[in-house]
Amino acid sequence: MPTQDGQPSFVLVRPQMGENIGAAARAMWNFGLDRMRVVAPRDGWPNQKAVAMASGAGRLLDEAQLCDTTAEALEGCHFVFATTARARGLTKPVYSPESAMAEAAERIAGDQKVAVLFGPERAGLENEDIARANAIINVPVNPDFPSLNLAQCVLLTGYEWRRASVEVQARRDELAGSSWAEHAEVEALARHYEERLEEAGFFFPEHKAEGMKVNLRNMWSRLPLTRADAQMLHGMMRQMVRWKNRG
């Protein structure tokens, strides 16, 4: 009976090329997945080409469960998704990869075992396999070229699993060892530039000077400055003043 520790099992049904099995293992491990089941691989098992392609994810292959049939691979599972480009006349709920993995995360949190079926490279899953699934995962691909490589499909599904199961920041800032400049630091920078530009006669004509100063201050407040940025800008202005005075 398949075991499951907080993640879905990925079931490769009759995969044909060892390289694709290895690439699928690598894609799974990229997103923290390590429950692989392999059903009747064409070129036998274990497969050295799979090991070579898996690179640092070889342990997934070592621990992969080898099964003779799809039914055997799904023993103990409560809910099964089948990845396919078309339903082939079978009535099934159809999920996007994103919604499928959100559903998987919810079911697994409720102590259910979930599996995802991936078909062989040549033609995908057969109706006999899809009939065993509770739902279909359908990727919104180009309808004129809907076929996905096995490892690509595993990668895409694994990515959506990661998004559903781990808090992913939509955006973050890499500050490279610095930190954001505080208001007082930005104020000091604005004052430094305003004073030096005043000395240089930048704020001209006189009747526009106050508006120019306000716009300059507004520019500084809009910029996402780090402390390192502020220090560099101070240094730039000091150097330009020193250079001018040397003349």
Side-chain angles (χ1 to χ4, degrees), residues 216-236:
L216 185 60
R217 292 263 176 157
N218 189 52
M219 182 194 75
W220 291 121
S221 68
R222 289 202 321 271
L223 293 176
L225 295 171
T226 66
R227 286 179 166 177
D229 294 333
Q231 290 167 2
M232 182 179 67
L233 288 164
H234 276 299
M236 289 168 58

Side-chain angles (χ1 to χ4, degrees), residues 27-38:
M28 287 175 64
W29 191 232
N30 280 146
F31 298 107
L33 292 158
D34 60 8
R35 301 292 185 268
M36 176 185 281
R37 322 243 177 260
V38 184

